[in-house]
């Protein structure tokens, strides 16, 4: 299907023509429009404008169909046994595991794939098992997801020092010479862990994967959170060698939820000490002998029974992404993001003031399809992000507001200082609600609006969002 014919709106048609002149590479991604019409038709039939791919991806009808057919046509038992139904399941689970490694070009001699409930589950495995000791270091960038921030509590409890690497405005990138100084903090002979997102779920910034080797050279183990990166970018573990790589599969292909994975280098995994043992993680455990032996590799990290029936759907999802082509998805996301950034900047009040101000890079160099912003009136007063969300909801636009579980990104972007935040945390009441926080820091927004494009985004999605932004022209707070 030629996308142009799908537009009834004349304004959209001419905007699309201009878009193609600026982004001719988009033409090569037309197969995605066909795919959307065939496999994701419910989105358009129900008039949804889906702009929350960083929150979660959408699934193709055929992923669900194929998975359900598999379940309906076979008899599967718990993979912990050696009976025929169990062996059939084990076969599929191990197939999925191998396919994950293959998808990321990870050598099975070097990496293992550990199934977890989600990226947070993968991060918790690292946090609770990393052998931090007194004087060790946990270094992380400001723009990490809370599940990476949370590892600092494990670090601190064992006497290690958490240190945050700041970001520079307006692009929200790290100053690399400053990073190099932070990397010098590694305790010689100690356990030092450096964590950063390959793509920030706040600003869309893609931090260099070259940092992995730089950090290794200076004595760090490296955790790269790829949860927001891998849905639209190729991660090649034959080229890059991070020690710990957490991700959630629903962010890559929508279905199934409830499964993530920790890709871990075997050499780094050997250094981890799990704080307990459980069903599935030991070779032998004795009650009277009061002893246990941990299982090797991934088995030592998968507690209890896996969510086994869903695991074949992970392979189905990865094969779906492979069939579409990550390069095609990447190109499409780049084109749509570039156009969105340019056209949102052009939305102006009559007095020339911008309607939208961004947090993150304004061009597509080293950034993904996540764009975070706030809306302003002609006098430069921000609209509460909850109001923007309510109005977007009314148009069936799915976007995200708040801080996206990325408080450090939010604090830098919104200019919330340590003194202001400390003032809030020192209020007389024990626990502040988010609304208390809002009132506490006068005159500053306490959240932002995030849109993100992905796998089956199309031109109409981004066009509608620019129209939506246009509806705020000359409106007063
Ligand atoms: C960069 C990043 N890391 C980690 C996570 C946590 O993922 P999950 O909630 O699936 O555990 C997210 C989710 O939004 C994310 O964007």
């Amino acid at each position: 299907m030629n996308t142009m014919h799908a537009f009834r709106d004349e304004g959209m048609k001419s905007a699309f023509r201009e878009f193609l002149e600026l982004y001719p590479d988009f033409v090569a991604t037309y197969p995605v429009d066909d795919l959307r019409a065939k496999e994701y038709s419910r989105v358009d039939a129900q008039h949804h404008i889906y702009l929350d791919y960083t929150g979660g991806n959408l699934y193709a009808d055929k992923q669900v169909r194929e998975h359900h057919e598999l379940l309906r046509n076979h008899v599967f038992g718990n993979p912990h046994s050696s009976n025929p139904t169990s062996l059939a399941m084990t076969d599929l689970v191990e197939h999925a595991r191998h396919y994950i490694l293959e998808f990321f070009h990870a050598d099975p001699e070097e990496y293992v794939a550990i199934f977890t409930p989600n990226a947070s589950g993968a991060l918790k495995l690292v946090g609770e098992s990393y052998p931090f000791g007194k004087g060790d270091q946990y270094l992380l960038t400001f723009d990490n997801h809370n599940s990476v921030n949370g590892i600092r509590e494990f670090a601190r409890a064992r006497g290690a020092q958490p240190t945050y690497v700041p970001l520079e405005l307006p692009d929200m990138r790290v100053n690399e010479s400053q990073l190099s100084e932070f990397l010098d903090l590694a305790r010689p002979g100690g356990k030092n862990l450096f964590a950063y997102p390959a793509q920030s779920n706040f600003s869309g910034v893609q931090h260099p994967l070259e940092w992995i080797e730089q950090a290794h050279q200076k004595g760090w183990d490296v955790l790269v959170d790829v949860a927001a990166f891998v849905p639209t970018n190729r991660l090649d573990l034959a080229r890059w060698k991070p020690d710990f790589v957490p991700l959630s599969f629903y962010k890559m292909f929508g279905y199934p939820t409830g499964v993530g994975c920790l890709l871990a280098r075997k050499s780094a995994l050997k250094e981890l000490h799990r704080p307990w043992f459980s069903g599935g993680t030991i070779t032998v455990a004795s009650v009277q002998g009061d002893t246990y032996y941990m299982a090797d590799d991934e088995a030592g990290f998968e507690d209890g029974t896996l969510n086994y029936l869903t695991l074949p759907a992970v392979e189905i999802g990865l094969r779906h992404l492979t069939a579409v082509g990550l390069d095609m998805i990447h190109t499409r996301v780049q084109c749509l993001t570039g156009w969105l950034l340019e056209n949102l900047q052009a939305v102006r009040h009559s007095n020339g003031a911008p309607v939208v101000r961004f947090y993150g890079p304004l061009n597509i160099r080293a950034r993904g399809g996540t764009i975070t912003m706030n809306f302003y009136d002609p006098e430069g007063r921000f609209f509460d992000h909850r109001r923007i969300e309510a109005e977007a909801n009314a148009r069936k636009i799915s976007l995200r507001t708040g801080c996206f579980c990325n408080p450090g990104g939010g604090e830098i972007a919104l200019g919330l200082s340590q003194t202001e935040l400390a003032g809030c945390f020192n209020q007389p009441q024990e626990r502040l609600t988010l609304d208390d926080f809002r009132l506490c820091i006068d005159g500053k927004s306490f959240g932002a609006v995030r849109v993100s494009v992905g796998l089956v985004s199309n031109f109409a999605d981004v066009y509608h969002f620019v129209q939506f932004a246009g509806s705020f022209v000359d409106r007063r707070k």
Side-chain angles (χ1 to χ4, degrees):
M1 185 180 65
N2 184 330
T3 307
M4 185 84 81
H5 296 310
F7 301 147
R8 287 201 203 99
D9 177 325
E10 280 307 316
M12 198 185 322
K13 224 181 234 176
S14 76
F16 186 61
R17 255 184 236 114
E18 282 167 27
F19 166 68
L20 287 184
E21 273 169 33
L22 288 169
Y23 295 97
D25 291 350
F26 190 79
V27 173
T29 76
Y30 280 173
V32 175
D33 291 296
D34 296 337
L35 178 76
R36 174 158 161 163
K38 187 162 168 249
E39 291 291 339
Y40 299 77
S41 59
R42 62 194 189 280
V43 180
D44 293 315
Q46 295 172 32
H47 308 290
H48 282 288
I49 298 161
Y50 189 77
L51 291 170
D52 190 21
Y53 284 85
T54 300
N57 219 316
L58 299 179
Y59 48 84
D61 293 348
K62 70 171 181 194
Q63 284 172 257
V64 181
R65 230 173 22 243
E66 217 178 294
H67 183 218
H68 284 190
E69 268 161 30
L70 184 81
L71 298 184
R72 288 178 59 231
N73 292 328
H74 295 83
V75 182
F76 292 124
N78 185 321
H80 276 160
S81 309
S82 44
N83 60 55
T85 51
S86 175
L87 289 175
M89 194 68 248
T90 303
D91 207 32
L92 289 182
V93 168
E94 293 314 311
H95 212 272
R97 200 191 297 283
H98 283 114
Y99 194 71
I100 292 166
L101 292 173
E102 195 180 315
F103 183 88
F104 291 108
H105 302 165
D107 179 351
E109 293 294 312
E110 190 177 12
Y111 278 93
V112 292
I114 300 165
F115 286 115
T116 62
N118 45 35
S120 302
L123 287 157
K124 185 159 180 251
L125 277 182
V126 178
E128 69 184 12
S129 316
Y130 192 79
F132 287 118
K134 207 165 170 348
D136 287 341
Q137 291 285 340
Y138 179 42
L139 183 69
L140 63 171
T141 56
F142 249 71
D143 56 350
N144 274 297
H145 189 275
N146 262 338
S147 302
V148 180
N149 289 326
I151 292 178
R152 74 183 187 213
E153 301 305 315
F154 288 116
R156 221 180 248 139
R158 290 184 220 127
Q161 173 68 45
T163 306
Y164 278 99
V165 182
L167 308 172
E168 292 188 341
L169 288 171
D171 277 14
M172 299 189 67
R173 294 191 195 274
V174 168
N175 174 325
E176 301 217 22
S177 54
Q178 206 178 29
L179 174 67
S180 174
E181 287 167 24
F182 275 103
L183 289 173
D184 289 336
L185 290 175
R187 191 165 79 91
K191 293 306 294 177
N192 307 295
L193 181 63
F194 172 46
Y196 72 97
Q199 179 173 317
S200 162
N201 72 324
F202 189 96
S203 62
V205 160
Q206 292 180 343
H207 295 303
L209 294 172
E210 283 79 3
W211 291 354
I212 299 165
E213 190 44 36
Q214 285 170 31
H216 277 160
Q217 299 275 339
K218 293 195 175 195
W220 298 84
D221 290 320
V222 183
L223 183 159
V224 181
D225 177 3
V226 300
F229 180 80
V230 287
T232 58
N233 298 275
R234 160 87 37 215
L235 174 69
D236 183 353
L237 293 179
R239 173 158 183 222
W240 310 106
K241 303 289 178 188
D243 299 284
F244 305 111
V245 185
L247 59 95
S248 277
F249 290 111
Y250 69 87
K251 290 195 193 286
M252 297 181 76
F253 37 77
Y255 175 87
T257 52
V259 195
C261 118
L262 175 66
L263 294 161
R265 257 174 118 181
K266 286 186 181 179
S267 54
L269 203 63
K270 279 204 175 69
E271 300 289 312
L272 301 188
H273 300 299
R274 297 221 57 205
W276 80 322
F277 66 89
S278 65
T281 63
I282 40 97
T283 53
V284 176
S286 160
V287 170
Q288 295 182 80
D290 195 15
T291 302
Y292 66 93
Y293 302 129
M294 287 306 275
D296 287 336
D297 295 339
E298 71 272 356
F301 290 82
E302 291 176 342
D303 292 330
T305 303
L306 287 170
N307 189 354
Y308 55 87
L309 288 177
T310 66
L311 298 182
V314 170
E315 182 169 342
I316 292 169
L318 287 173
R319 287 189 188 279
H320 173 58
L321 276 194
T322 304
V324 181
L326 255 186
D327 291 341
M328 185 179 297
I329 298 165
H330 180 82
T331 302
R332 193 169 172 94
V333 163
Q334 290 279 101
C335 296
L336 294 172
T337 305
W339 187 87
L340 200 45
L341 284 167
E342 283 150 20
N343 283 271
L344 285 173
Q345 286 175 75
V347 181
R348 301 269 160 170
H349 297 291
S350 306
N351 65 2
V355 169
V356 171
R357 295 185 198 166
F358 301 89
Y359 308 115
L362 294 180
N363 59 47
I364 53 177
R365 191 191 65 79
R367 66 126 57 239
T370 302
I371 304 178
T372 295
M373 67 203 94
N374 264 317
F375 284 56
Y376 288 81
D377 81 357
E379 275 69 52
R381 292 170 302 199
F382 68 87
F383 288 101
D384 191 306
H385 55 85
R386 290 167 300 177
R387 176 164 166 200
I388 305 297
E389 182 169 32
E391 295 204 19
N393 289 349
R395 294 179 180 222
K396 286 193 109 171
I397 299 176
S398 289
L399 44 70
R400 184 88 179 257
T401 63
C403 267
F404 332 121
C405 293
N406 194 321
E411 288 162 26
I412 297 258
L414 305 171
L416 308 175
S417 69
Q418 194 174 21
T419 322
E420 283 169 320
L421 289 162
C424 295
F425 281 114
N426 290 335
Q427 301 267 316
Q429 69 259 50
E430 228 173 62
R431 292 162 71 95
L432 294 183
T433 64
L434 206 57
D435 279 337
D436 293 334
F437 262 111
R438 252 179 218 117
L439 295 173
C440 171
I441 300 182
D442 247 7
K444 287 188 183 169
S445 172
F446 209 79
V449 176
R450 181 182 81 183
V451 293
S452 47
V453 290
L455 178 55
V456 289
S457 291
N458 65 13
F459 182 73
D461 294 331
V462 294
Y463 179 81
H464 284 304
F465 187 69
V466 172
Q467 296 294 105
F468 171 67
S471 74
F472 285 83
V473 167
D474 289 341
R475 269 165 67 177
R476 290 195 152 65
K477 195 174 163 182

